[in-house]
Amino acid sequence: MLQRVTFTSHKINFGICTERILKLILGTQEQQTQLRNSFARNACERKDAFSLAITQKGGACRIALRESVCLRGKMKKISSRFCVLIVSCLLLLATGCSAGGAKENLELNVYNWGEYIDLSILDTFSEETGITVNYDTYANNEDMYAKLKSGGSSYDIAIPSDYMIERMIREDMLLPLNLENIPNFKNIDQRFKSLDYDPGSAYSIPYMWGTLGILYNTAMVTDPVDSWNILWDEKYSGQIFMYDSLRDSIGVALKKNGYSLNTKNLDELEIAKQDLIKQMPLVRAYVGDTVRDSMIGNEGAMALVYSGDASYCIGENPDLAYTVPKEGSNIWFDAAVIPKGATNIQAAEKFLDFLCRPDICLKNVEYIEYSTVNSETFKMVSEEMRNDPAFWPTDEIYDRCEVFVDLAELSNAYVEAWTEILATD
Amino acid sequence: MAGKDSVLARKRMAIPFLAWAFIFIVVPIALVVYYSLCIEVDGVMVFSLANYARAFEPIYLKVLWRSVRLALASTAACIIVGYPVAYIMASKEYAQKNLLLFLFLVPMWMNFLLRTYSWLTILENNGLINTFLAFIGLPKMSLLYNSQAVILGMVYNFLPFMILPIHTSLSKMDKSLIEAAEDLGADSRQVFLRLVLPLSMPGVISGITMVFLPAVTTFIISDLLGGAQFMLIGNLIEQQFLKVSNWNFGAAVSVILMILIIASVGIFSIVDKDSDEGALF
């Protein structure tokens, strides 16, 4: 299966992976060493190879690859290359894919988005503290909320987004943090401390941030892309992908008209709705994660995406570019919190502190390629990354960006507007 | 006495099932009905019919009508495609029949979501079909993200549910009836229309039920192949429960959908009874 098949939402790239796994298993000694070194050295390279994660099985295989790299020192005695892969696979299955061995009984239950951490830092954490990390993932904020709300499970750490944190604080689902136990919090950029969703940073430690913007194909779009208006340009009819998410799509229409994307003015909402209905004939589809495959496969000229997805797509298809329009956009934060019901608060605080450490944060940023909230880490990332305006918007654009706030009693009006848009024939 | 004991014993054997049915069917439905009859005011549940009133607003009726329309279209397509296949299978030799059945069942072993995803790759602008069209010099077609793509997805996924019951009712039919009809001078068209078709109606009816129900409630097919531009009732429920957390309205829509389903099953079974009687006399 050497042709390239990509499945979005599960970042899979059979072509590259199969090739590399084959090399790892069957290649000459030299090729293997080269490949392993490149894994270890080059973060970008590593990301490609480890993007094999269509299911748990894919995930296990991906981790197995990493394990096989890490274990190569320890397992020199085993001459067969198959053994390395198979043994690490079995090991992973047996331990339920959690990395590292248990030294003590201390355990930390972490609940995070899928593909949203460099898993090797969990090993580092376990080695340094002797705390075993149990790592689970979710697909979106709402899933995480439902699981925590139902109370059937206990997590010591979760990493929701801004508006969800606001809601969880309101519903008394989080434990207040003791910042004295998290000294590395000082590394977090002042801009990202004490934001509206969590005044005084009482409950959350920022993890990553990003923007909502336009991902476009430079081979298909010749006009300058700097305004939301281009998503209403009839020239690109049938080539525009919107996001199947009411806050984001309505937010864009509001911003296009110069309104706040948290507007409480129903007239403004009505104008945005009419705009989106007008735009509908030009839109190819309202999509979710599949947008990544579509844009990588040159299926569309423009798409509304989050900056993190954009950087992934650009890595796969160099014709793509990303921009945050001048009218401003949504800016979002994901932040680590300790949910009520956490059993190991001390370990959780240690973990939060660990995440704020510049070197650990750097590893994470290089792996997931989102913008960092850590000002020390920012100094350490490559210049190329730092100078990319798509991921570090200028202060001017940054100031025009807004964080989503919980709509409370107005949320029904938004939902109805969105339903009406999608129910239009 | 012995008979009575065994009836009791049989009744006792049904207890696990009854308990199961109560916990996992009756209780959840009661909860759904409860939620649908309440609205949340300042964190307190208050009895209200507002959810139902809202569900009958024009935009939601439009969504409901679209679901029914697309489901009916795909059910009709399943009959048109599925009946001949079932007919051929029922009249084939034993070995070949099993092979055909096998070929229909093999794709169902694969995950439903994956199979639907793979249609994206086939129908895309740069997908398999369009690449082929371009290769032989024909213009590309826009195949994805329209209502036809949604119907195609439904037909593809639910076709086996139409074929299997029709096939069963056809293959258990007494072949000597056909011979008798032929002996009495019926031509092949008459044999089919007046004998085979009426006798296979129970299979067709259960096929219709088994295709229509999942088709009218699906949300993932319309999401993936319709590009979310074809909001169906399933999408509406999903949106209310998962995306906007309005369980009360979502529950009301679910109850309406349940009533719709029960009504359609009821209609189908009345038609079914009629056809049975028709077959008898």
PDB file of all heavy atoms in Angstrom, chain B residues 66-67 70-75 78 112 116 147-161 211 214-219 221-222 225 232:
ATOM      1  N   ARG B  66     -37.337  16.617   4.926  1.00  0.00           N
ATOM      2  CA  ARG B  66     -36.184  16.251   4.105  1.00  0.00           C
ATOM      3  C   ARG B  66     -35.691  14.851   4.463  1.00  0.00           C
ATOM      4  O   ARG B  66     -35.364  14.049   3.589  1.00  0.00           O
ATOM      5  CB  ARG B  66     -35.072  17.270   4.292  1.00  0.00           C
ATOM      6  CG  ARG B  66     -33.864  16.982   3.442  1.00  0.00           C
ATOM      7  CD  ARG B  66     -32.725  17.873   3.821  1.00  0.00           C
ATOM      8  NE  ARG B  66     -32.804  19.178   3.205  1.00  0.00           N
ATOM      9  CZ  ARG B  66     -32.145  20.244   3.665  1.00  0.00           C
ATOM     10  NH1 ARG B  66     -31.394  20.132   4.729  1.00  0.00           N
ATOM     11  NH2 ARG B  66     -32.233  21.391   3.052  1.00  0.00           N
ATOM     12  N   SER B  67     -35.658  14.539   5.790  1.00  0.00           N
ATOM     13  CA  SER B  67     -35.218  13.204   6.210  1.00  0.00           C
ATOM     14  C   SER B  67     -36.118  12.135   5.624  1.00  0.00           C
ATOM     15  O   SER B  67     -35.650  11.123   5.100  1.00  0.00           O
ATOM     16  CB  SER B  67     -35.261  13.062   7.731  1.00  0.00           C
ATOM     17  OG  SER B  67     -34.593  14.103   8.331  1.00  0.00           O
ATOM     18  N   LEU B  70     -35.591  11.830   1.762  1.00  0.00           N
ATOM     19  CA  LEU B  70     -34.358  11.130   1.377  1.00  0.00           C
ATOM     20  C   LEU B  70     -34.437   9.653   1.751  1.00  0.00           C
ATOM     21  O   LEU B  70     -33.983   8.781   0.996  1.00  0.00           O
ATOM     22  CB  LEU B  70     -33.132  11.771   2.038  1.00  0.00           C
ATOM     23  CG  LEU B  70     -32.705  13.128   1.490  1.00  0.00           C
ATOM     24  CD1 LEU B  70     -31.427  13.593   2.163  1.00  0.00           C
ATOM     25  CD2 LEU B  70     -32.493  13.081  -0.010  1.00  0.00           C
ATOM     26  N   ALA B  71     -35.035   9.362   2.909  1.00  0.00           N
ATOM     27  CA  ALA B  71     -35.139   7.965   3.339  1.00  0.00           C
ATOM     28  C   ALA B  71     -36.048   7.190   2.396  1.00  0.00           C
ATOM     29  O   ALA B  71     -35.746   6.043   2.020  1.00  0.00           O
ATOM     30  CB  ALA B  71     -35.650   7.887   4.772  1.00  0.00           C
ATOM     31  N   LEU B  72     -37.168   7.810   1.980  1.00  0.00           N
ATOM     32  CA  LEU B  72     -38.078   7.129   1.047  1.00  0.00           C
ATOM     33  C   LEU B  72     -37.380   6.895  -0.292  1.00  0.00           C
ATOM     34  O   LEU B  72     -37.475   5.812  -0.875  1.00  0.00           O
ATOM     35  CB  LEU B  72     -39.343   7.971   0.834  1.00  0.00           C
ATOM     36  CG  LEU B  72     -40.362   7.936   1.970  1.00  0.00           C
ATOM     37  CD1 LEU B  72     -41.520   8.878   1.671  1.00  0.00           C
ATOM     38  CD2 LEU B  72     -40.877   6.517   2.203  1.00  0.00           C
ATOM     39  N   ALA B  73     -36.646   7.919  -0.758  1.00  0.00           N
ATOM     40  CA  ALA B  73     -35.946   7.768  -2.038  1.00  0.00           C
ATOM     41  C   ALA B  73     -34.952   6.626  -1.970  1.00  0.00           C
ATOM     42  O   ALA B  73     -34.862   5.800  -2.894  1.00  0.00           O
ATOM     43  CB  ALA B  73     -35.245   9.074  -2.396  1.00  0.00           C
ATOM     44  N   SER B  74     -34.203   6.555  -0.854  1.00  0.00           N
ATOM     45  CA  SER B  74     -33.200   5.494  -0.800  1.00  0.00           C
ATOM     46  C   SER B  74     -33.860   4.129  -0.610  1.00  0.00           C
ATOM     47  O   SER B  74     -33.353   3.118  -1.123  1.00  0.00           O
ATOM     48  CB  SER B  74     -32.165   5.768   0.288  1.00  0.00           C
ATOM     49  OG  SER B  74     -32.795   5.921   1.512  1.00  0.00           O
ATOM     50  N   THR B  75     -35.004   4.097   0.090  1.00  0.00           N
ATOM     51  CA  THR B  75     -35.711   2.822   0.227  1.00  0.00           C
ATOM     52  C   THR B  75     -36.196   2.340  -1.143  1.00  0.00           C
ATOM     53  O   THR B  75     -36.034   1.161  -1.497  1.00  0.00           O
ATOM     54  CB  THR B  75     -36.917   2.971   1.181  1.00  0.00           C
ATOM     55  OG1 THR B  75     -36.477   3.634   2.363  1.00  0.00           O
ATOM     56  CG2 THR B  75     -37.490   1.628   1.550  1.00  0.00           C
ATOM     57  N   CYS B  78     -33.389   1.015  -3.048  1.00  0.00           N
ATOM     58  CA  CYS B  78     -32.987  -0.296  -2.539  1.00  0.00           C
ATOM     59  C   CYS B  78     -33.895  -1.392  -3.097  1.00  0.00           C
ATOM     60  O   CYS B  78     -33.423  -2.484  -3.425  1.00  0.00           O
ATOM     61  CB  CYS B  78     -33.033  -0.325  -1.011  1.00  0.00           C
ATOM     62  SG  CYS B  78     -31.570   0.356  -0.258  1.00  0.00           S
ATOM     63  N   PHE B 112     -18.693   0.405   9.376  1.00  0.00           N
ATOM     64  CA  PHE B 112     -19.620   1.221   8.614  1.00  0.00           C
ATOM     65  C   PHE B 112     -19.049   2.615   8.301  1.00  0.00           C
ATOM     66  O   PHE B 112     -19.151   3.133   7.193  1.00  0.00           O
ATOM     67  CB  PHE B 112     -20.898   1.291   9.456  1.00  0.00           C
ATOM     68  CG  PHE B 112     -21.802   2.436   9.184  1.00  0.00           C
ATOM     69  CD1 PHE B 112     -22.630   2.434   8.079  1.00  0.00           C
ATOM     70  CD2 PHE B 112     -21.847   3.506  10.057  1.00  0.00           C
ATOM     71  CE1 PHE B 112     -23.486   3.482   7.846  1.00  0.00           C
ATOM     72  CE2 PHE B 112     -22.704   4.560   9.828  1.00  0.00           C
ATOM     73  CZ  PHE B 112     -23.519   4.552   8.719  1.00  0.00           C
ATOM     74  N   THR B 116     -18.045   4.355   4.661  1.00  0.00           N
ATOM     75  CA  THR B 116     -18.605   5.624   4.210  1.00  0.00           C
ATOM     76  C   THR B 116     -17.488   6.614   3.888  1.00  0.00           C
ATOM     77  O   THR B 116     -17.552   7.342   2.896  1.00  0.00           O
ATOM     78  CB  THR B 116     -19.554   6.191   5.281  1.00  0.00           C
ATOM     79  OG1 THR B 116     -20.459   5.158   5.663  1.00  0.00           O
ATOM     80  CG2 THR B 116     -20.345   7.347   4.752  1.00  0.00           C
ATOM     81  N   SER B 147     -27.495  15.816  -2.601  1.00  0.00           N
ATOM     82  CA  SER B 147     -28.444  14.859  -2.021  1.00  0.00           C
ATOM     83  C   SER B 147     -28.298  13.488  -2.676  1.00  0.00           C
ATOM     84  O   SER B 147     -28.544  12.463  -2.041  1.00  0.00           O
ATOM     85  CB  SER B 147     -29.869  15.376  -2.135  1.00  0.00           C
ATOM     86  OG  SER B 147     -30.174  15.645  -3.477  1.00  0.00           O
ATOM     87  N   GLN B 148     -27.868  13.453  -3.929  1.00  0.00           N
ATOM     88  CA  GLN B 148     -27.662  12.158  -4.568  1.00  0.00           C
ATOM     89  C   GLN B 148     -26.572  11.356  -3.854  1.00  0.00           C
ATOM     90  O   GLN B 148     -26.682  10.139  -3.700  1.00  0.00           O
ATOM     91  CB  GLN B 148     -27.269  12.323  -6.052  1.00  0.00           C
ATOM     92  CG  GLN B 148     -28.406  12.781  -6.938  1.00  0.00           C
ATOM     93  CD  GLN B 148     -28.482  14.297  -7.034  1.00  0.00           C
ATOM     94  OE1 GLN B 148     -28.131  15.001  -6.086  1.00  0.00           O
ATOM     95  NE2 GLN B 148     -28.938  14.811  -8.161  1.00  0.00           N
ATOM     96  N   ALA B 149     -25.524  12.072  -3.438  1.00  0.00           N
ATOM     97  CA  ALA B 149     -24.440  11.379  -2.722  1.00  0.00           C
ATOM     98  C   ALA B 149     -24.953  10.805  -1.407  1.00  0.00           C
ATOM     99  O   ALA B 149     -24.566   9.702  -1.010  1.00  0.00           O
ATOM    100  CB  ALA B 149     -23.278  12.335  -2.480  1.00  0.00           C
ATOM    101  N   VAL B 150     -25.848  11.548  -0.745  1.00  0.00           N
ATOM    102  CA  VAL B 150     -26.406  11.057   0.520  1.00  0.00           C
ATOM    103  C   VAL B 150     -27.232   9.796   0.257  1.00  0.00           C
ATOM    104  O   VAL B 150     -27.106   8.787   0.968  1.00  0.00           O
ATOM    105  CB  VAL B 150     -27.273  12.144   1.197  1.00  0.00           C
ATOM    106  CG1 VAL B 150     -27.878  11.601   2.485  1.00  0.00           C
ATOM    107  CG2 VAL B 150     -26.455  13.376   1.487  1.00  0.00           C
ATOM    108  N   ILE B 151     -28.067   9.854  -0.810  1.00  0.00           N
ATOM    109  CA  ILE B 151     -28.890   8.682  -1.121  1.00  0.00           C
ATOM    110  C   ILE B 151     -28.000   7.505  -1.497  1.00  0.00           C
ATOM    111  O   ILE B 151     -28.225   6.373  -1.051  1.00  0.00           O
ATOM    112  CB  ILE B 151     -29.883   9.023  -2.256  1.00  0.00           C
ATOM    113  CG1 ILE B 151     -30.896  10.047  -1.744  1.00  0.00           C
ATOM    114  CG2 ILE B 151     -30.605   7.770  -2.746  1.00  0.00           C
ATOM    115  CD1 ILE B 151     -31.860  10.539  -2.779  1.00  0.00           C
ATOM    116  N   LEU B 152     -26.962   7.783  -2.260  1.00  0.00           N
ATOM    117  CA  LEU B 152     -26.036   6.715  -2.627  1.00  0.00           C
ATOM    118  C   LEU B 152     -25.446   6.058  -1.383  1.00  0.00           C
ATOM    119  O   LEU B 152     -25.396   4.826  -1.271  1.00  0.00           O
ATOM    120  CB  LEU B 152     -24.901   7.279  -3.498  1.00  0.00           C
ATOM    121  CG  LEU B 152     -23.810   6.273  -3.826  1.00  0.00           C
ATOM    122  CD1 LEU B 152     -24.249   5.375  -4.973  1.00  0.00           C
ATOM    123  CD2 LEU B 152     -22.503   6.948  -4.159  1.00  0.00           C
ATOM    124  N   GLY B 153     -25.022   6.890  -0.437  1.00  0.00           N
ATOM    125  CA  GLY B 153     -24.450   6.359   0.801  1.00  0.00           C
ATOM    126  C   GLY B 153     -25.447   5.481   1.548  1.00  0.00           C
ATOM    127  O   GLY B 153     -25.098   4.428   2.071  1.00  0.00           O
ATOM    128  N   MET B 154     -26.700   5.924   1.583  1.00  0.00           N
ATOM    129  CA  MET B 154     -27.726   5.144   2.282  1.00  0.00           C
ATOM    130  C   MET B 154     -27.958   3.815   1.558  1.00  0.00           C
ATOM    131  O   MET B 154     -28.011   2.751   2.180  1.00  0.00           O
ATOM    132  CB  MET B 154     -29.040   5.924   2.323  1.00  0.00           C
ATOM    133  CG  MET B 154     -29.021   7.129   3.235  1.00  0.00           C
ATOM    134  SD  MET B 154     -30.625   7.941   3.158  1.00  0.00           S
ATOM    135  CE  MET B 154     -30.413   9.280   4.298  1.00  0.00           C
ATOM    136  N   VAL B 155     -28.106   3.877   0.238  1.00  0.00           N
ATOM    137  CA  VAL B 155     -28.369   2.658  -0.522  1.00  0.00           C
ATOM    138  C   VAL B 155     -27.212   1.692  -0.342  1.00  0.00           C
ATOM    139  O   VAL B 155     -27.398   0.509  -0.062  1.00  0.00           O
ATOM    140  CB  VAL B 155     -28.586   2.986  -2.020  1.00  0.00           C
ATOM    141  CG1 VAL B 155     -28.644   1.699  -2.833  1.00  0.00           C
ATOM    142  CG2 VAL B 155     -29.851   3.782  -2.202  1.00  0.00           C
ATOM    143  N   TYR B 156     -25.996   2.205  -0.454  1.00  0.00           N
ATOM    144  CA  TYR B 156     -24.830   1.344  -0.332  1.00  0.00           C
ATOM    145  C   TYR B 156     -24.806   0.644   1.027  1.00  0.00           C
ATOM    146  O   TYR B 156     -24.563  -0.557   1.113  1.00  0.00           O
ATOM    147  CB  TYR B 156     -23.563   2.169  -0.527  1.00  0.00           C
ATOM    148  CG  TYR B 156     -22.314   1.418  -0.164  1.00  0.00           C
ATOM    149  CD1 TYR B 156     -21.832   0.397  -0.995  1.00  0.00           C
ATOM    150  CD2 TYR B 156     -21.639   1.687   1.012  1.00  0.00           C
ATOM    151  CE1 TYR B 156     -20.712  -0.315  -0.646  1.00  0.00           C
ATOM    152  CE2 TYR B 156     -20.517   0.969   1.362  1.00  0.00           C
ATOM    153  CZ  TYR B 156     -20.057  -0.023   0.536  1.00  0.00           C
ATOM    154  OH  TYR B 156     -18.957  -0.737   0.884  1.00  0.00           O
ATOM    155  N   ASN B 157     -25.070   1.420   2.084  1.00  0.00           N
ATOM    156  CA  ASN B 157     -24.947   0.849   3.421  1.00  0.00           C
ATOM    157  C   ASN B 157     -26.103  -0.061   3.808  1.00  0.00           C
ATOM    158  O   ASN B 157     -25.938  -0.981   4.597  1.00  0.00           O
ATOM    159  CB  ASN B 157     -24.807   1.968   4.457  1.00  0.00           C
ATOM    160  CG  ASN B 157     -23.387   2.485   4.537  1.00  0.00           C
ATOM    161  OD1 ASN B 157     -22.464   1.712   4.724  1.00  0.00           O
ATOM    162  ND2 ASN B 157     -23.215   3.773   4.352  1.00  0.00           N
ATOM    163  N   PHE B 158     -27.301   0.223   3.281  1.00  0.00           N
ATOM    164  CA  PHE B 158     -28.471  -0.496   3.763  1.00  0.00           C
ATOM    165  C   PHE B 158     -29.009  -1.539   2.789  1.00  0.00           C
ATOM    166  O   PHE B 158     -29.963  -2.239   3.093  1.00  0.00           O
ATOM    167  CB  PHE B 158     -29.577   0.497   4.149  1.00  0.00           C
ATOM    168  CG  PHE B 158     -29.120   1.545   5.140  1.00  0.00           C
ATOM    169  CD1 PHE B 158     -29.457   2.881   4.978  1.00  0.00           C
ATOM    170  CD2 PHE B 158     -28.346   1.186   6.234  1.00  0.00           C
ATOM    171  CE1 PHE B 158     -29.017   3.834   5.881  1.00  0.00           C
ATOM    172  CE2 PHE B 158     -27.906   2.135   7.142  1.00  0.00           C
ATOM    173  CZ  PHE B 158     -28.244   3.463   6.961  1.00  0.00           C
ATOM    174  N   LEU B 159     -28.422  -1.620   1.595  1.00  0.00           N
ATOM    175  CA  LEU B 159     -28.923  -2.564   0.590  1.00  0.00           C
ATOM    176  C   LEU B 159     -29.028  -4.016   1.090  1.00  0.00           C
ATOM    177  O   LEU B 159     -30.033  -4.675   0.831  1.00  0.00           O
ATOM    178  CB  LEU B 159     -28.042  -2.482  -0.668  1.00  0.00           C
ATOM    179  CG  LEU B 159     -28.526  -3.264  -1.888  1.00  0.00           C
ATOM    180  CD1 LEU B 159     -29.900  -2.783  -2.305  1.00  0.00           C
ATOM    181  CD2 LEU B 159     -27.551  -3.111  -3.046  1.00  0.00           C
ATOM    182  N   PRO B 160     -28.022  -4.523   1.807  1.00  0.00           N
ATOM    183  CA  PRO B 160     -28.138  -5.912   2.275  1.00  0.00           C
ATOM    184  C   PRO B 160     -29.380  -6.150   3.129  1.00  0.00           C
ATOM    185  O   PRO B 160     -29.948  -7.238   3.100  1.00  0.00           O
ATOM    186  CB  PRO B 160     -26.870  -6.117   3.103  1.00  0.00           C
ATOM    187  CG  PRO B 160     -25.911  -5.131   2.564  1.00  0.00           C
ATOM    188  CD  PRO B 160     -26.719  -3.950   2.151  1.00  0.00           C
ATOM    189  N   PHE B 161     -29.825  -5.116   3.851  1.00  0.00           N
ATOM    190  CA  PHE B 161     -31.013  -5.277   4.687  1.00  0.00           C
ATOM    191  C   PHE B 161     -32.277  -5.426   3.839  1.00  0.00           C
ATOM    192  O   PHE B 161     -33.312  -5.853   4.333  1.00  0.00           O
ATOM    193  CB  PHE B 161     -31.180  -4.086   5.639  1.00  0.00           C
ATOM    194  CG  PHE B 161     -30.026  -3.918   6.580  1.00  0.00           C
ATOM    195  CD1 PHE B 161     -29.301  -2.733   6.607  1.00  0.00           C
ATOM    196  CD2 PHE B 161     -29.655  -4.947   7.421  1.00  0.00           C
ATOM    197  CE1 PHE B 161     -28.229  -2.586   7.458  1.00  0.00           C
ATOM    198  CE2 PHE B 161     -28.589  -4.799   8.281  1.00  0.00           C
ATOM    199  CZ  PHE B 161     -27.867  -3.614   8.296  1.00  0.00           C
ATOM    200  N   VAL B 211     -34.708  -0.887   5.935  1.00  0.00           N
ATOM    201  CA  VAL B 211     -33.928   0.154   5.259  1.00  0.00           C
ATOM    202  C   VAL B 211     -34.407   1.541   5.677  1.00  0.00           C
ATOM    203  O   VAL B 211     -33.604   2.428   5.947  1.00  0.00           O
ATOM    204  CB  VAL B 211     -34.007  -0.010   3.727  1.00  0.00           C
ATOM    205  CG1 VAL B 211     -33.360   1.183   3.036  1.00  0.00           C
ATOM    206  CG2 VAL B 211     -33.321  -1.285   3.305  1.00  0.00           C
ATOM    207  N   PRO B 214     -33.139   2.847   9.528  1.00  0.00           N
ATOM    208  CA  PRO B 214     -31.813   3.453   9.679  1.00  0.00           C
ATOM    209  C   PRO B 214     -31.614   4.664   8.765  1.00  0.00           C
ATOM    210  O   PRO B 214     -30.892   5.588   9.119  1.00  0.00           O
ATOM    211  CB  PRO B 214     -30.846   2.324   9.318  1.00  0.00           C
ATOM    212  CG  PRO B 214     -31.641   1.323   8.590  1.00  0.00           C
ATOM    213  CD  PRO B 214     -33.050   1.461   9.066  1.00  0.00           C
ATOM    214  N   ALA B 215     -32.281   4.673   7.598  1.00  0.00           N
ATOM    215  CA  ALA B 215     -32.076   5.783   6.672  1.00  0.00           C
ATOM    216  C   ALA B 215     -32.673   7.072   7.221  1.00  0.00           C
ATOM    217  O   ALA B 215     -32.102   8.145   7.066  1.00  0.00           O
ATOM    218  CB  ALA B 215     -32.680   5.449   5.309  1.00  0.00           C
ATOM    219  N   VAL B 216     -33.808   6.951   7.894  1.00  0.00           N
ATOM    220  CA  VAL B 216     -34.450   8.178   8.369  1.00  0.00           C
ATOM    221  C   VAL B 216     -33.754   8.715   9.616  1.00  0.00           C
ATOM    222  O   VAL B 216     -33.862   9.888   9.942  1.00  0.00           O
ATOM    223  CB  VAL B 216     -35.965   7.938   8.609  1.00  0.00           C
ATOM    224  CG1 VAL B 216     -36.227   7.293   9.941  1.00  0.00           C
ATOM    225  CG2 VAL B 216     -36.747   9.242   8.495  1.00  0.00           C
ATOM    226  N   THR B 217     -32.997   7.884  10.294  1.00  0.00           N
ATOM    227  CA  THR B 217     -32.346   8.343  11.521  1.00  0.00           C
ATOM    228  C   THR B 217     -30.856   8.630  11.359  1.00  0.00           C
ATOM    229  O   THR B 217     -30.230   9.104  12.289  1.00  0.00           O
ATOM    230  CB  THR B 217     -32.492   7.295  12.642  1.00  0.00           C
ATOM    231  OG1 THR B 217     -32.065   6.035  12.126  1.00  0.00           O
ATOM    232  CG2 THR B 217     -33.913   7.180  13.115  1.00  0.00           C
ATOM    233  N   THR B 218     -30.289   8.343  10.192  1.00  0.00           N
ATOM    234  CA  THR B 218     -28.832   8.480  10.053  1.00  0.00           C
ATOM    235  C   THR B 218     -28.392   9.926  10.218  1.00  0.00           C
ATOM    236  O   THR B 218     -29.129  10.850   9.901  1.00  0.00           O
ATOM    237  CB  THR B 218     -28.347   7.959   8.689  1.00  0.00           C
ATOM    238  OG1 THR B 218     -26.928   8.010   8.690  1.00  0.00           O
ATOM    239  CG2 THR B 218     -28.858   8.823   7.558  1.00  0.00           C
ATOM    240  N   PHE B 219     -27.205  10.125  10.746  1.00  0.00           N
ATOM    241  CA  PHE B 219     -26.671  11.485  10.710  1.00  0.00           C
ATOM    242  C   PHE B 219     -25.252  11.511  10.142  1.00  0.00           C
ATOM    243  O   PHE B 219     -24.795  12.511   9.640  1.00  0.00           O
ATOM    244  CB  PHE B 219     -26.708  12.149  12.080  1.00  0.00           C
ATOM    245  CG  PHE B 219     -25.925  11.435  13.154  1.00  0.00           C
ATOM    246  CD1 PHE B 219     -24.602  11.747  13.368  1.00  0.00           C
ATOM    247  CD2 PHE B 219     -26.522  10.472  13.932  1.00  0.00           C
ATOM    248  CE1 PHE B 219     -23.873  11.093  14.354  1.00  0.00           C
ATOM    249  CE2 PHE B 219     -25.805   9.817  14.919  1.00  0.00           C
ATOM    250  CZ  PHE B 219     -24.487  10.127  15.129  1.00  0.00           C
ATOM    251  N   ILE B 221     -24.010   9.742   7.551  1.00  0.00           N
ATOM    252  CA  ILE B 221     -23.944   9.717   6.080  1.00  0.00           C
ATOM    253  C   ILE B 221     -24.186  11.114   5.524  1.00  0.00           C
ATOM    254  O   ILE B 221     -23.455  11.584   4.652  1.00  0.00           O
ATOM    255  CB  ILE B 221     -24.968   8.717   5.515  1.00  0.00           C
ATOM    256  CG1 ILE B 221     -24.612   7.295   5.968  1.00  0.00           C
ATOM    257  CG2 ILE B 221     -25.018   8.784   4.005  1.00  0.00           C
ATOM    258  CD1 ILE B 221     -25.622   6.248   5.540  1.00  0.00           C
ATOM    259  N   SER B 222     -25.194  11.800   6.092  1.00  0.00           N
ATOM    260  CA  SER B 222     -25.461  13.145   5.578  1.00  0.00           C
ATOM    261  C   SER B 222     -24.333  14.100   5.951  1.00  0.00           C
ATOM    262  O   SER B 222     -24.055  15.051   5.233  1.00  0.00           O
ATOM    263  CB  SER B 222     -26.793  13.652   6.114  1.00  0.00           C
ATOM    264  OG  SER B 222     -26.870  13.462   7.501  1.00  0.00           O
ATOM    265  N   LEU B 225     -21.135  12.622   3.420  1.00  0.00           N
ATOM    266  CA  LEU B 225     -21.334  12.673   1.973  1.00  0.00           C
ATOM    267  C   LEU B 225     -22.150  13.887   1.551  1.00  0.00           C
ATOM    268  O   LEU B 225     -22.107  14.303   0.400  1.00  0.00           O
ATOM    269  CB  LEU B 225     -22.003  11.379   1.482  1.00  0.00           C
ATOM    270  CG  LEU B 225     -21.217  10.100   1.773  1.00  0.00           C
ATOM    271  CD1 LEU B 225     -21.978   8.886   1.269  1.00  0.00           C
ATOM    272  CD2 LEU B 225     -19.841  10.148   1.131  1.00  0.00           C
ATOM    273  N   LEU B 232     -30.375  16.472   8.458  1.00  0.00           N
ATOM    274  CA  LEU B 232     -31.470  15.531   8.641  1.00  0.00           C
ATOM    275  C   LEU B 232     -31.862  15.528  10.116  1.00  0.00           C
ATOM    276  O   LEU B 232     -31.171  16.091  10.959  1.00  0.00           O
ATOM    277  CB  LEU B 232     -31.054  14.121   8.201  1.00  0.00           C
ATOM    278  CG  LEU B 232     -30.571  13.996   6.757  1.00  0.00           C
ATOM    279  CD1 LEU B 232     -30.287  12.539   6.430  1.00  0.00           C
ATOM    280  CD2 LEU B 232     -31.579  14.567   5.782  1.00  0.00           C
TER     281      LEU B 232
END
